[in-house]
Amino acid sequence: MVDVKEVPADLLLNKLASEFKEKNVEIPDWVNYLKDGIGKERAWVQDDWYYTRLASIMRKVYLNTNIGISRLSQEYGSRQDRGTKRYHPVQGSRFIIRNILQSLEALGYLKKDTKTGRSLTPAGQSMLDKAAKEVMKSLAEKDKVFEKYL
């Protein structure tokens, strides 16, 4: 059985992002204008960053069950340039994370619990497991070393 932890994260995120694109997940209008957080100077350069962030947050919820918006904003935080002073850690945009979590809940991949935070539904977990298995199969076709994980 292939686990999400055993698959390279970049390949898994690309696979999940392409699945979100195929499902025609609705992207809000403000996506092109916001930056990722206080520590960033510019908005996103990639056109499909929203799909990648959807996949990344879904993977983070899988790895860290019962996680909330505040913890995720720390995960996606950066360093703030304060001129001649030392860099200071800042949180990522909670608005973007909240909106992505709400859209994943609307798709049926996450569920919200007021006491413990958000966790994956069985549909979300099966989507991640299927994507991990497909990524591992493609890796096993290229290199025989990965066949032991199937």
Side-chain angles (χ1 to χ4, degrees), residues 61 64-73 97 101 116-118:
V61 171
N64 308 316
T65 55
N66 300 330
I67 193 167
I69 295 172
S70 179
R71 180 70 179 136
L72 282 171
S73 69
I97 293 171
L101 289 174
T116 58
R118 287 171 169 88

Side-chain angles (χ1 to χ4, degrees), residues 41-106:
E41 293 183 6
R42 299 184 188 146
W44 286 88
V45 178
Q46 297 94 353
D47 294 333
D48 62 345
W49 71 268
Y50 192 78
Y51 296 114
T52 307
R53 185 57 62 96
L54 273 170
S56 176
I57 285 181
M58 196 166 167
R59 181 179 173 272
K60 292 248 186 221
V61 171
Y62 180 87
L63 295 177
N64 308 316
T65 55
N66 300 330
I67 193 167
I69 295 172
S70 179
R71 180 70 179 136
L72 282 171
S73 69
Q74 291 173 2
E75 293 274 336
Y76 291 105
S78 61
R79 304 183 318 169
Q80 184 177 15
D81 187 6
R82 304 185 316 157
T84 58
K85 299 178 192 175
R86 293 184 180 172
Y87 284 99
H88 186 73
V90 292
Q91 293 182 347
S93 174
R94 291 184 298 249
F95 174 75
I96 295 173
I97 293 171
R98 186 180 311 110
N99 193 290
I100 287 176
L101 289 174
Q102 289 170 352
S103 63
L104 285 172
E105 287 173 8

Side-chain angles (χ1 to χ4, degrees), residues 4 7-18 52 55-56 59 135 139:
V4 173
V7 179
D10 57 342
L11 300 175
L12 179 66
L13 293 181
N14 290 336
K15 175 69 177 160
L16 285 173
S18 65
T52 307
S56 176
R59 181 179 173 272
V135 168
L139 284 174

Side-chain angles (χ1 to χ4, degrees), residues 87-147:
Y87 284 99
H88 186 73
V90 292
Q91 293 182 347
S93 174
R94 291 184 298 249
F95 174 75
I96 295 173
I97 293 171
R98 186 180 311 110
N99 193 290
I100 287 176
L101 289 174
Q102 289 170 352
S103 63
L104 285 172
E105 287 173 8
L107 289 170
Y109 296 134
L110 291 182
K111 62 182 175 183
K112 181 180 179 182
D113 187 17
T114 56
K115 293 183 180 179
T116 58
R118 287 171 169 88
S119 59
L120 284 174
T121 61
Q125 190 160 358
S126 69
M127 180 183 177
L128 276 169
D129 289 338
K130 287 177 186 176
K133 189 173 184 179
E134 290 175 10
V135 168
M136 193 58 76
K137 279 184 181 179
S138 67
L139 284 174
E141 290 174 359
K142 294 177 184 175
D143 193 1
K144 300 294 182 186
V145 176
F146 293 106
E147 287 183 355

